[in-house]
């Protein structure tokens, strides 16, 4: 069976997210702001969850319709063939969002969507009572400019939760954004990556997983694994195939440093959990004494005043780091920063810039290359 999928992602990294779906054979891949749309069967559903490095989740689009008022929202949801996806005893919590729409109260919309889903499932299954006592089928809705979309979430926990980082630093970089930075930086099987602000190691680890072709979702569960309308062995087969496609012979090397010894220990442990401990090394070092390796790719997310340090302290650190970074030949570097004065502080104009978001913080990815 063919499904229409929607995968939300951070603004600014849509092209990297789209590539993940193209490479697994998804059809009709197209990009809109903060979303990837594509078409595929059950096998693509499993692969999309396992292999998506940059998207936040994978959802089946059940339908879209105009929803200028609550009656239209109820009728639109009631018209969807929900019984084809959700069994009579399945649990189906509802979450959603509304933007620039007449129906602005999300709790009220949640209530209407839930009521309509209940009525549709009662009719579709020919029952009076829905027990909701077995596996969970998460419904999501999105209302934008009075147009509603209803989805079935196949991922469960966000896809940034790979399973290797149960604890992180004070201001962790999401794995999905780190993976996109690796993609934009053109990390390959033989790349040497350096991160002088490694924190919990996310940039280095995601680069290593990309270089070794390790599926990012290999060691975590997905909501769709318990969906009754999908083959029982769907994800087991996809995981087995993913393991066969790994490249353990890749010569990639990841080198991360941090001034905090606790972060060094944490990054080392996280790399081990991710299966890349053998090609990633972490050590204690002050970024002001950073020495870029010849031919290495520098991936960095220096602390900025909005999260970890006062703005003046962050600026002084970036100035000192810039002197170390550019002390010799021009390096290859991708640096994520939120400070509008970043280029002045680091002492060099970037060759290219790309606007991205780190959570809710607008940032720029500054690209330097030889």
């Amino acid at each position: 069976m063919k499904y229409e999928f929607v995968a939300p992602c951070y603004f600014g990294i849509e092209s990297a997210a789209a590539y993940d779906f193209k490479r697994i054979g998804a059809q009709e891949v197209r990009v809109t702001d903060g979303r990837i749309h594509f078409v595929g069967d059950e096998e693509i559903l499993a692969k999309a969850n396992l292999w998506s490095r940059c998207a936040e989740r994978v959802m089946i689009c059940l339908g879209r319709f105009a929803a200028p008022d609550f009656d239209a929202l109820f009728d639109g949801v009631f018209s969807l063939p929900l019984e084809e996806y959700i069994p009579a005893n399945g649990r189906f919590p509802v979450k959603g969002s509304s933007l620039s729409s007449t129906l602005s109260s999300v709790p009220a919309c949640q209530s209407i969507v839930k009521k309509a889903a209940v009525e549709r499932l009662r009719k579709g299954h020919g029952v009076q009572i829905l027990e909701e006592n077995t596996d969970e089928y998460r419904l999501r809705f999105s209302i934008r400019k009075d147009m509603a979309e209803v989805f079935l979430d196949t991922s469960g926990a966000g896809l940034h939760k790979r399973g290797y980082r149960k604890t992180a630093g004070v201001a962790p970089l999401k794995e999905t954004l780190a993976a996109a930075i690796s993609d934009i930086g053109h990390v390959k099987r033989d790349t040497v990556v350096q991160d002088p602000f490694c924190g919990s190691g996310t940039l280095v680890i995601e680069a290593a997983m990309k270089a070794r072709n390790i599926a990012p979702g290999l060691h975590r569960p997905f909501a769709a694994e318990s969906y009754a309308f999908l083959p029982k062995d769907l994800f087991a087969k996809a995981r087995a195939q993913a393991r066969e496609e790994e490249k353990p012979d890749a010569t990639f090397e990841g080198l991360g440093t941090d001034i905090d010894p606790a972060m060094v220990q944490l990054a080392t442990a996280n790399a081990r959990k991710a299966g890349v401990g053998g090609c990633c090394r972490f050590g204690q070092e002050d970024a002001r004494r950073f020495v870029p390796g010849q031919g290495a790719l520098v991936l960095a997310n220096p602390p900025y005043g909005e999260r970890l340090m006062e703005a003046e302290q962050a600026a002084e650190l970036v100035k000192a780091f810039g002197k170390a970074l550019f002390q010799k030949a021009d390096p290859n570097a991708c640096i994520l920063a939120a400070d509008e004065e970043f280029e002045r502080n680091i002492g060099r104009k970037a060759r290219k810039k790309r606007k991205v978001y780190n959570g809710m913080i607008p940032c720029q990815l500054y690209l330097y290359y030889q």
Side-chain angles (χ1 to χ4, degrees), residues 66-83:
D69 52 46
F70 287 126
D71 287 341
L73 179 60
F74 184 98
D75 292 343
V77 174
F78 185 79
S79 71
L80 302 176
L82 300 181
E83 68 277 4

Side-chain angles (χ1 to χ4, degrees), residues 50 119 306 335 346:
L50 278 172
E119 293 305 313
E306 292 185 54
I335 305 174
I346 203 168

Side-chain angles (χ1 to χ4, degrees), residues 178 182 187 193 202-212 252 299:
S182 291
V187 169
V193 163
T202 309
L203 274 169
V204 173
I205 292 169
E206 289 295 324
M209 292 176 70
K210 175 180 172 62
R212 289 194 165 192
F252 172 91
L299 303 180

Side-chain angles (χ1 to χ4, degrees), residues 56-340:
E56 291 303 308
R57 64 183 64 252
V58 175
M59 305 182 294
I60 297 173
C61 183
L62 302 179
R64 51 178 61 89
F65 48 87
D69 52 46
F70 287 126
D71 287 341
L73 179 60
F74 184 98
D75 292 343
V77 174
F78 185 79
S79 71
L80 302 176
L82 300 181
E83 68 277 4
E84 296 179 8
Y85 301 91
I86 304 173
N89 57 354
R91 291 178 292 133
F92 51 102
V94 175
K95 289 186 178 181
S97 62
S98 178
L99 181 67
S100 304
S101 297
T102 304
L103 301 179
S104 58
S105 171
V106 172
C109 291
Q110 283 178 308
S111 178
I112 294 296
V113 171
K114 180 72 176 185
K115 288 177 182 177
V118 167
E119 293 305 313
R120 174 68 198 208
L121 289 168
R122 287 174 60 192
K123 178 183 177 182
H125 289 299
V127 299
Q128 288 299 311
I129 298 175
L130 300 174
E131 297 290 348
E132 290 199 59
N133 58 8
T134 59
D135 296 318
E136 189 172 83
Y137 295 73
R138 303 183 185 188
L139 288 178
R140 291 180 176 267
F141 68 86
S142 170
I143 305 176
R144 299 290 185 271
K145 297 182 179 179
D146 292 338
M147 288 298 298
E149 295 175 295
V150 179
F151 309 101
L152 178 63
D153 181 6
T154 71
S155 301
L159 294 179
H160 68 279
K161 295 185 178 180
R162 318 291 206 210
Y164 66 77
R165 196 178 74 173
K166 294 185 179 179
T167 54
V170 177
L173 180 70
K174 263 195 176 179
E175 293 88 335
T176 43
L177 179 54
I181 293 172
S182 291
D183 184 81
I184 294 166
H186 302 295
V187 169
K188 295 180 172 57
R189 291 178 61 182
D190 60 350
T191 302
V192 175
V193 163
Q194 290 180 282
D195 180 1
F197 304 93
C198 72
S200 58
T202 309
L203 274 169
V204 173
I205 292 169
E206 289 295 324
M209 292 176 70
K210 175 180 172 62
R212 289 194 165 192
N213 203 40
I214 297 174
L218 192 61
H219 301 296
R220 55 153 287 172
F222 302 99
E225 293 188 68
S226 63
Y227 287 177
F229 67 90
L230 295 173
K232 292 294 184 184
D233 60 350
L234 180 65
F235 279 85
K237 288 182 177 179
R239 285 191 177 91
Q241 183 179 351
R243 290 188 178 95
E244 292 177 359
E245 295 177 10
E246 291 182 10
K247 307 295 182 185
D249 59 338
T251 57
F252 172 91
E253 187 176 2
L255 306 169
T257 53
D258 198 282
I259 198 169
D260 185 348
M263 288 296 99
V264 172
Q265 291 182 354
L266 182 58
T268 301
N270 287 342
R272 257 190 244 111
K273 291 176 187 174
V276 293
C279 63
C280 298
R281 291 185 287 114
F282 300 93
Q284 185 180 3
E285 184 62 77
D286 190 327
R288 289 169 289 197
R289 292 193 289 272
F290 176 68
V291 179
Q294 186 174 1
L297 170 64
V298 179
L299 303 180
N301 179 32
Y304 27 98
E306 292 185 54
R307 298 191 306 167
L308 285 178
M309 307 172 67
E310 292 298 327
E312 290 183 5
Q313 291 177 296
E316 289 303 316
L317 176 59
V318 168
K319 288 177 184 178
F321 169 60
K323 290 179 181 179
L325 180 64
F326 299 114
Q327 61 184 315
K328 296 181 180 178
D330 288 348
N332 294 313
C334 298
I335 305 174
L336 182 70
D339 183 7
E340 294 181 359

Side-chain angles (χ1 to χ4, degrees), residues 318 339-353 366 368:
V318 168
D339 183 7
E340 294 181 359
E341 299 296 319
F342 174 81
E343 287 175 299
R344 183 175 67 83
N345 289 333
I346 203 168
R348 190 75 59 93
K349 283 279 187 182
R351 294 285 186 93
K352 289 184 179 180
K353 292 187 289 186
Y366 296 89
Y368 299 88

